[in-house]
Amino acid sequence: HQLAEEVLSLPEIQGLTRSFQCVQIDADAQPELCKQYGVTGFPTLICLGPQGQLTARLVGKQSPAVVQTTLQVVLRTPVQARSGVVERR
């Protein structure tokens, strides 16, 4: 919840997240989903492409600047080229 309150609620981040479908998952209620995407630390922010391919992963508390840069990179990368993963732990 801290990620949502401290980072995702900022206007500069909200402007970027309008281009995404944002979903918050309760890890205790959805352990299989966490396992499927390799979530082992919290918070974890994952960006998936249209076919469900992983395009970015941020694990642990990140600054608004890191989240903003990651989302900008994902948005600038053409969908067809999103096979690489932007990752920061």
Side-chain angles (χ1 to χ4, degrees), residues 11-47:
E12 61 268 29
I13 303 297
Q14 285 187 345
L16 293 169
T17 59
R18 287 189 188 109
S19 300
F20 295 88
Q21 293 292 323
C22 297
V23 178
Q24 185 172 339
I25 303 296
D26 179 343
D28 293 327
Q30 298 289 328
E32 288 303 314
L33 193 58
C34 290
K35 185 177 179 181
Q36 177 182 347
Y37 289 104
V39 175
T40 58
F42 302 98
T44 297
L45 177 72
I46 295 175
C47 295

Side-chain angles (χ1 to χ4, degrees), residues 45-61:
L45 177 72
I46 295 175
C47 295
L48 303 174
Q51 273 66 50
Q53 73 276 23
L54 181 66
T55 59
R57 173 192 306 270
L58 297 176
V59 178
K61 186 173 182 178

